[in-house]
């Protein structure tokens, strides 16, 4: 059996959005589950729209997500190879020149549709005489090129959709080279997958028809056709791809404080028959991958649901997950994580508990009495309620008049983390000094 190899092949013509993040994730998880390799291929044949900043950003996004790759390639470095294959396929009659203009092709398409026929290219270019071709070229027309499909059934067993069948006669010969000589997506992608030994390809269901044509391209190259899986496309919660969702990407989610593994956990189970639960490492997530559990309907991606899931993810996160990213020890993390929205929120707790705070005294009589009533350690979450009840009984204060001065003395903040959790972490010595008006 050949080595398992998958690839993620983004075009650096924009920032990495949530849709292609999902594609990258599924390919990486499949490679990990099958013990194979993950390849990054930069599809930068569009010279005008490809930008270095986009490529650097998508590389950073993949690394941040943990989707590391063992190999990489760049399409712009492989034009000689593509041209070599094109010349060979021309000789074999599988690639042919066409001289119709865009307007003429549109007219043909409309004419067929008006007759109730599918708008399939009728291969009129193959009927041109040498004189007609010479006349077109004299006019200054430049040919575009199509790949000639062979009649017959095209079928494959899709990892997501099951058996997929097409009749080649119901498909148009795909254009593979534009009038200006630039390549479209189809053939270079097949040549790369063939040359680099790609065995499995997961991509969006918008590529299903492309796959039908590409199956014959693989066969024309004499290669093994990879195993394909086509994921239903994400939609917004209203049932369509919203503008925000289309532009939402890893950069924005990272900046907001969403965890990389929360994103991966969420996307890997969205639209499946499985519940969306936190995974704290990619290896465990890969083991759980089961493409047969992906539904056929388009999953609705709601960023607010992801944000809510991220909070749940943090509340359940073991200390090992955040170790090295925070200054706190395991006891501190376990005590406060249930009150965090983002991991970065722990800073506020750390500062109050570990750094010197200059207290703000609003009611010195109250805070002096509160200091004198502080019980001996050890403390737990019950300590605060027992202590506050004693302070309330002694001073007669209640509600805001009781809690606000205590909070300002202990934290110098108007609001913040729950005092019943903070106080055991702060310790009696700091609490006593702050209630007495001393910096501690």
């Amino acid at each position: 059996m050949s080595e398992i190899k998958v690839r993620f092949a983004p075009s650096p013509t924009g920032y990495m959005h949530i849709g292609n993040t999902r594609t990258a994730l599924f390919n990486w998880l499949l490679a990990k589950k099958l013990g194979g390799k993950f390849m990054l291929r930069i599809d930068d044949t569009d010279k005008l729209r490809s930008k270095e900043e986009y490529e650097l950003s998508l590389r950073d996004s993949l690394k941040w997500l943990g989707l590391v790759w063992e190999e990489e390639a760049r399409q712009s470095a492989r034009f000689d190879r593509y041209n070599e294959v094109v010349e060979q396929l021309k000789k074999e009659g599988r690639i042919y020149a066409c001289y119709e203009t865009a307007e003429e092709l549109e007219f043909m398409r409309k004419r067929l549709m008006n007759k109730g026929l599918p708008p399939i290219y009728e291969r009129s270019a193959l009927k041109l005489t040498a004189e007609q071709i010479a006349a077109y070229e004299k006019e200054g027309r430049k040919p575009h090129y199509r790949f000639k499909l062979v009649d017959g059934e095209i079928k494959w067993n899709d990892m997501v959709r099951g058996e997929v069948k097409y009749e080649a006669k119901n498909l148009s010969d795909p254009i593979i080279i534009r009038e200006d000589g630039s390549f479209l997506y189809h053939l270079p992608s097949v040549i790369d997958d063939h040359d680099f030994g790609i065995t499995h390809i997961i991509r969006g269901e918008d590529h299903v028809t492309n796959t039908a044509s590409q199956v014959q391209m693989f066969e024309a190259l004499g290669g093994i056709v990879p195993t394909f899986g086509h994921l239903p496309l994400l939609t917004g919660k209203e049932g369509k791809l919203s503008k925000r969702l289309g532009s939402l990407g890893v950069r924005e989610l990272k900046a907001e404080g969403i965890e990389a593994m929360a994103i991966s956990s969420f996307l890997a189970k969205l639209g499946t028959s499985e519940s969306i639960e936190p995974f704290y490492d990619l290896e465990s997530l890969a083991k759980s991958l089961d493409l047969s559990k992906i539904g056929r309907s388009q999953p609705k991606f709601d960023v607010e649901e992801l944000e809510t899931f991220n909070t749940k993810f943090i509340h359940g996160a073991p200390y090992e997950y955040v170790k090295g990213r925070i200054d706190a020890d395991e006891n501190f993390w376990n005590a406060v994580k249930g009150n965090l929205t983002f991991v970065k929120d722990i800073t506020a707790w750390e500062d109050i508990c570990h750094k010197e705070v200059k207290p703000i005294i609003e009611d010195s009589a109250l805070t002096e009495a509160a200091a004198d009533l502080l019980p001996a350690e050890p403390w737990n979450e019950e300590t605060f309620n027992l202590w506050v009840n004693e302070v309330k009984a002694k001073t007669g204060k209640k509600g805001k008049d009781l809690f606000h001065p205590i909070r300002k003395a202990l934290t110098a903040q108007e609001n913040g983390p729950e005092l019943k959790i903070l106080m055991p972490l702060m310790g009696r010595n700091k609490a006593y000094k702050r209630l007495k008006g001393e910096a501690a």
Side-chain angles (χ1 to χ4, degrees), residues 323-353:
K323 189 177 179 180
R325 293 169 56 192
I326 60 174
D327 293 332
D329 61 18
E330 187 169 4
N331 288 335
F332 192 97
W333 170 253
N334 288 332
V336 305
K337 68 183 182 181
N339 294 266
L340 305 180
T341 302
F342 303 108
V343 171
K344 62 187 177 184
D345 294 344
I346 199 172
T347 303
W349 295 71
E350 290 173 336
D351 289 352
I352 289 168
C353 294

Side-chain angles (χ1 to χ4, degrees), residues 352-365:
I352 289 168
C353 294
H354 296 154
K355 292 187 177 179
E356 184 174 276
V357 170
K358 187 175 181 181
I360 297 173
I361 303 298
E362 291 182 335
D363 183 339
S364 58

